[in-house]
Amino acid sequence: MLVCPHCHTLNPKDRESCSQCGAPLPSQNPIWFAAVVSAKFTASTLPPYLDSQQRYRFFDLGKLNEYGEIETRAYDLHPQLPPYFTNGVSSYSTDNQVPDLARPYLHPRCQSNSALPRLQDTWHNNGHTVVLLEDRSTLPRVLDRWRTVSSLQRLYWMYQMLDLWSILTALSCRSSLTQLHNLHLDGDRAICLQRLYSDPSDRPLTLTVLAQAWRTLFQSLSEPPPSDIARFLQQVERAILDHPQSIGDGLDDLIDRREEEDSEPTAWDDIESLEEEDITVTAPIAPVVYLEHGGKTDIGRHRPRNEDTFAIWTQRDFRETPAARTVTSRGLYVLCDGMGGHEGGDIASSMAAEIIVETLSQQWGDDLPNETAIREAIDRANRAIYDLNQDQSRQGSGRMGTTLVMLLVNGDRAAVAHVGDSRLYRLTARGGLQQLTTDHEVGQHAIRQGIDPAVAYSRPEAYQLTQALGPRDNDALRPDVRFFNLSENTLFLLASDGLTDNNLVEIYWETHLQPFLRESSDLDAAATELINLANTQNGRDNITAVLVRVSVRSQP
């Protein structure tokens, strides 16, 4: 049905104009999932519209959940208008504040992970609170598909739920995984959540609760789970396995065992057109790559504001065909440092990070984006900042600008692109610490021309940037892009110059990076330690650290 934005009459989808008032109808009315907390209404007495402006109209009857919230769906009658919620402020709220119910959706980890729902609008007014999310209620539910997939696919989903548990711990929303009706499957058969449920304040949730959710899924089958999976569930329920790392290792063992069984050679001895009597066909199996990350930014000790920013987008695909089963981890990690001394550096850095993540995440297919796609995303960000500089007639040091460094990971392939002096480091057990980027500054340019490094950096302009996003148009931009393979466990560090100045990373990597190459270590804690170190040793500038741990596990 189509809703007329003028008289609000329901019309069949094939009509171009309203049957009641004759006004043109939109091609479609977006439908959002709505969570409502109301002191005035119940699910059966809700008014036709969620808001007094009559923008959001109920699509179907609401249901009361166990938290006392009403869950329903609503038409957006005016999708061309901006939402009430923008830039952290809800204009339709009585006090312009974002309701507490919506705050978890603003967490960076929620905004950067495609498995978690996107906030569309929110407000609290007239006695009730409303949160509108992208509607995933029509997607297949995990509970329904659990019965029809292989044992290996179930283990993949369990692994994804474990990954989400770690993320949702930071949001205090682990209950989102225990509400099994909340688990849906996207187009790649990866788990995605319809909404977030806050954890109860009266009892802490432990991993035993996740194990109980897994057992409930297995109870939907007509037969008990295989004995090795049953033992694993019992170990988690009894807290014998009580840490995400040990539970992940247990899942790895179960997955490896089944993949080894499925990769047994297949003999084709009845193909008359081939001379060989027996032919063995074994599909190539790529290594399984797991990604973890942590990040933090800090204003430092001398700057009036923080012009650094970072953005992260991750996705894990679980795919199964008659020929193979694969797990592909994807990650896009972007760090931008608004140019010191340039007015609007914080605006430039935020614009660049948002545009690049939006562009590449939407274009990302089965493989790593190619060099052309990466350069086009950077050009788009540069053009947006440059145009804003032109529109505002900014000149000289008043022109907005930002550095950029980004890491892209797709399975066992990776790419790095950068503009300016923000850096990417790589740490491996065999190769130690390596700087993968070369600063775009006058000193490095002089070195490439054959000048001795000591002489090049004795000049007062040595640290002046030769490349940045925003000050000049795309014709003057020359980002560096390179690709490489991932063959061993690796820790990457994206860092702004507030952290890298005075060779801080090179001096302290053995104490502040090497311990975090271990899979059981906390990368958020690592970022905090690096920030504290930089504030102690440097501190003159904003400081940002983003760590990415890549775990590479070969399959038989």
Side-chain angles (χ1 to χ4, degrees):
M1 302 294 285
L2 296 176
V3 182
C4 175
H6 299 280
C7 69
H8 301 168
T9 299
L10 290 173
N11 292 269
K13 286 185 177 180
D14 57 355
R15 287 193 65 90
E16 296 182 356
S17 60
C18 179
S19 60
Q20 182 68 24
C21 69
L25 292 172
S27 57
Q28 65 177 2
N29 295 113
I31 298 175
W32 307 125
F33 178 90
V36 182
V37 178
S38 178
K40 299 173 60 177
F41 303 106
T42 65
S44 60
T45 62
L46 281 171
Y49 298 93
L50 284 171
D51 58 323
S52 60
Q53 305 295 324
Q54 296 190 353
R55 172 176 177 172
Y56 298 108
R57 174 172 176 164
F58 285 110
F59 175 76
D60 49 21
L61 293 177
K63 297 180 180 179
L64 189 68
N65 65 28
E66 64 183 80
Y67 298 89
E69 303 163 353
I70 302 168
E71 295 180 348
T72 183
R73 294 191 294 167
Y75 287 114
D76 188 349
L77 301 186
H78 298 284
Q80 76 281 5
L81 298 178
Y84 297 130
F85 163 75
T86 54
N87 297 323
V89 175
S90 183
S91 60
Y92 190 55
S93 292
T94 306
D95 55 3
N96 286 340
Q97 297 298 309
V98 175
D100 290 341
L101 188 64
R103 291 195 179 279
Y105 300 97
L106 305 182
H107 194 286
R109 288 200 171 184
C110 186
Q111 296 178 335
S112 64
N113 192 302
S114 60
L116 305 183
R118 298 291 181 270
L119 179 67
Q120 300 295 330
D121 211 344
T122 185
W123 67 88
H124 56 91
N125 201 323
N126 296 325
H128 60 270
T129 297
V130 178
V131 173
L132 295 179
L133 309 167
E134 57 181 310
D135 182 28
R136 292 171 167 175
S137 62
T138 59
L139 294 177
R141 295 194 311 165
V142 172
L143 190 58
D144 297 330
R145 295 298 173 88
W146 194 264
R147 309 179 188 90
T148 63
V149 298
S150 67
S151 178
L152 184 59
Q153 181 62 61
R154 296 180 191 121
L155 291 170
Y156 287 152
W157 285 341
M158 290 167 67
Y159 211 114
Q160 189 182 5
M161 290 173 72
L162 180 64
D163 281 347
L164 288 173
W165 180 273
S166 298
I167 295 171
L168 293 169
T169 297
L171 278 62
S172 298
C173 290
R174 288 164 289 192
S175 296
S176 308
L177 288 173
T178 63
Q179 303 287 332
L180 296 181
H181 67 273
N182 192 44
L183 308 183
H184 295 266
L185 298 171
D186 64 17
D188 292 321
R189 292 210 304 177
I191 290 177
C192 59
L193 306 184
Q194 173 56 80
R195 59 161 300 183
L196 300 178
Y197 291 97
S198 296
D199 293 340
S201 57
D202 58 340
R203 55 184 177 89
L205 293 185
T206 66
L207 286 161
T208 60
V209 177
L210 180 61
Q212 291 166 6
W214 288 337
R215 185 170 294 282
T216 301
L217 286 168
F218 277 105
Q219 287 173 348
S220 68
L221 304 178
S222 58
E223 55 186 27
S227 58
D228 56 349
I229 294 180
R231 284 194 301 271
F232 169 77
L233 292 175
Q234 189 177 67
Q235 288 176 328
V236 181
E237 286 175 327
R238 294 180 177 179
I240 298 172
L241 301 177
D242 61 353
H243 189 275
Q245 180 63 44
S246 60
I247 296 173
D249 290 343
L251 285 171
D252 281 337
D253 291 341
L254 294 171
I255 290 171
D256 289 344
R257 195 172 304 142
R258 279 154 179 79
E259 288 178 337
E260 184 175 357
E261 292 170 356
D262 289 342
S263 64
E264 289 295 326
T266 301
W268 302 79
D269 51 12
D270 57 348
I271 304 178
E272 297 178 354
S273 60
L274 298 177
E275 295 180 355
E276 292 86 349
E277 185 173 336
D278 287 297
I279 299 176
T280 298
V281 178
T282 304
I285 301 175
V288 178
V289 173
Y290 299 97
L291 299 176
E292 299 171 86
H293 64 261
K296 186 175 182 181
T297 185
D298 187 81
I299 193 172
R301 294 189 287 114
H302 296 292
R303 297 291 188 184
R305 63 180 180 273
N306 193 350
E307 297 182 336
D308 286 7
T309 193
F310 65 89
I312 297 170
W313 173 87
T314 62
Q315 186 180 66
R316 177 174 287 174
D317 283 350
F318 302 81
R319 300 191 179 188
E320 180 179 355
T321 68
R325 296 177 177 85
T326 60
V327 181
T328 303
S329 296
R330 301 185 179 99
L332 172 59
Y333 310 88
V334 179
L335 183 152
C336 294
D337 176 0
M339 290 163 58
H342 284 61
E343 181 182 356
D346 52 341
I347 298 174
S349 61
S350 295
M351 288 178 63
E354 291 172 6
I355 290 171
I356 287 171
V357 169
E358 177 187 16
T359 302
L360 289 176
S361 64
Q362 291 179 356
Q363 296 178 355
W364 207 306
D366 291 338
D367 299 318
L368 196 69
N370 59 28
E371 183 173 346
T372 299
I374 294 172
R375 292 187 181 277
E376 287 176 351
I378 296 172
D379 283 348
R380 183 183 173 197
N382 185 72
R383 170 60 64 180
I385 303 169
Y386 176 82
D387 287 347
L388 187 57
N389 278 325
Q390 297 299 98
D391 292 344
Q392 297 180 357
S393 300
R394 292 174 177 261
Q395 300 295 326
S397 62
R399 290 177 73 79
M400 293 184 291
T402 182
T403 69
L404 162 73
V405 62
M406 64 173 167
L407 172 68
L408 304 88
V409 179
N410 194 102
D412 61 346
R413 288 281 289 162
V416 55
H418 90 288
V419 175
D421 63 357
S422 295
R423 295 179 182 178
L424 177 69
Y425 291 89
R426 174 174 62 191
L427 175 63
T428 61
R430 285 185 296 179
L433 183 72
Q434 298 170 289
Q435 182 180 328
L436 299 185
T437 55
T438 300
D439 297 346
H440 293 149
E441 56 189 19
V442 172
Q444 286 294 331
H445 181 70
I447 292 170
R448 285 195 295 271
Q449 292 178 327
I451 297 176
D452 182 85
V455 175
Y457 277 96
S458 67
R459 299 173 177 177
E461 72 276 16
Y463 293 97
Q464 180 179 331
L465 294 182
T466 59
Q467 292 266 351
L469 299 184
R472 294 181 288 179
D473 64 17
N474 289 349
D475 291 338
L477 191 65
R478 299 288 185 273
D480 289 343
V481 181
R482 60 174 290 197
F483 293 80
F484 50 95
N485 292 324
L486 299 169
S487 58
E488 62 177 314
N489 292 351
T490 305
L491 181 66
F492 291 99
L493 170 66
L494 293 81
S496 65
D497 61 350
L499 176 58
T500 62
D501 280 351
N502 300 316
N503 297 318
L504 205 65
V505 175
E506 288 81 357
I507 295 172
Y508 290 96
W509 70 271
E510 290 180 299
T511 55
H512 285 70
L513 286 179
Q514 195 168 38
F516 297 95
L517 189 57
R518 298 194 307 269
E519 292 183 14
S520 59
S521 54
D522 185 348
L523 293 184
D524 284 325
T528 299
E529 290 185 17
L530 288 168
I531 296 292
N532 293 339
L533 175 68
N535 268 321
T536 301
Q537 302 292 329
N538 291 333
R540 67 167 186 83
D541 203 351
N542 308 144
I543 308 161
T544 302
V546 175
L547 295 106
V548 181
R549 185 164 52 226
V550 179
S551 301
V552 180
R553 304 179 187 178
S554 299
Q555 298 187 43

